[in-house]
Amino acid sequence: MKQDRFLTGILIGIAVIVIIALSVFLMRKDNLTYVNDDTPEGVIQNYVVALHKRNFEKAYTYLADLPNKPAYAKFQEAFLNHSIDPSSTGVEIGKSEIAGDNATVSLGMIYSPNDPFSSGYRNAEFALLVKQEGAWKIRQLPYNFWNWD
């Protein structure tokens, strides 16, 4: 009889923990939002958000029209077949330096571990943008978001 109450208490405790975990998961805020894209930082954020939301058409519009720009089908395919996979990488967008029609945006690339025994790491990287037809366009990004030379 005493063991039945103890077991019931444990099961109730587990149920409460599961309910709390589910409510926290379902009520979390989605902080992947688009911003105004009239600055280099805004363009980078919108590109990253579009990739995470798998809106490849929107992401493609942020690429500069340069000789190394891939066709849309090749761009989309690279993300769909995971040859480029931004899902395990976070980006902290820093300040930009603008020099005429060129801009450099500092980025903090946050890489998550591949296994439960490793810790993630962070690299300082940068993005290159160019102004084309009055809008900022991406010329180069770090690998997890870009692989075209």
Side-chain angles (χ1 to χ4, degrees):
M1 185 86 141
K2 193 171 193 176
Q3 286 185 346
D4 289 343
R5 280 194 235 159
F6 182 71
L7 180 60
T8 303
I10 289 175
L11 292 176
I12 290 172
I14 291 172
V16 167
I17 291 172
V18 168
I19 290 170
I20 291 171
L22 282 173
S23 64
V24 167
F25 176 77
L26 295 174
M27 294 171 59
R28 67 190 167 137
K29 184 178 178 184
D30 181 16
N31 58 0
L32 291 177
T33 57
Y34 293 109
V35 296
N36 195 346
D37 59 7
D38 59 353
T39 65
E41 298 94 333
V43 169
I44 298 299
Q45 178 167 337
N46 288 347
Y47 177 78
V48 170
V49 169
L51 290 179
H52 279 286
K53 292 187 175 194
R54 303 184 68 77
N55 186 349
F56 301 116
E57 287 181 38
K58 184 168 181 77
Y60 190 75
T61 65
Y62 291 111
L63 301 183
D65 290 323
L66 297 172
N68 64 341
K69 182 179 181 179
Y72 173 73
K74 190 169 182 82
F75 173 80
Q76 182 181 23
E77 181 183 326
F79 292 99
L80 291 176
N81 70 17
H82 299 287
S83 61
I84 305 175
D85 188 8
S87 64
S88 64
T89 306
V91 179
E92 187 176 272
I93 301 169
K95 301 224 183 254
S96 66
E97 293 182 24
I98 299 172
D101 286 344
N102 293 299
T104 304
V105 178
S106 62
L107 303 173
M109 303 299 292
I110 304 161
Y111 300 96
S112 61
N114 293 333
D115 61 69
F117 304 108
S118 301
S119 62
Y121 60 97
R122 177 188 165 110
N123 278 346
E125 301 276 353
F126 59 90
L128 301 176
L129 292 91
V130 63
K131 196 168 234 183
Q132 292 182 333
E133 299 175 13
W136 289 107
K137 300 290 183 170
I138 299 169
R139 193 172 74 187
Q140 182 181 352
L141 275 172
Y143 170 71
N144 282 54
F145 297 91
W146 185 273
N147 77 341
W148 299 278
D149 295 330

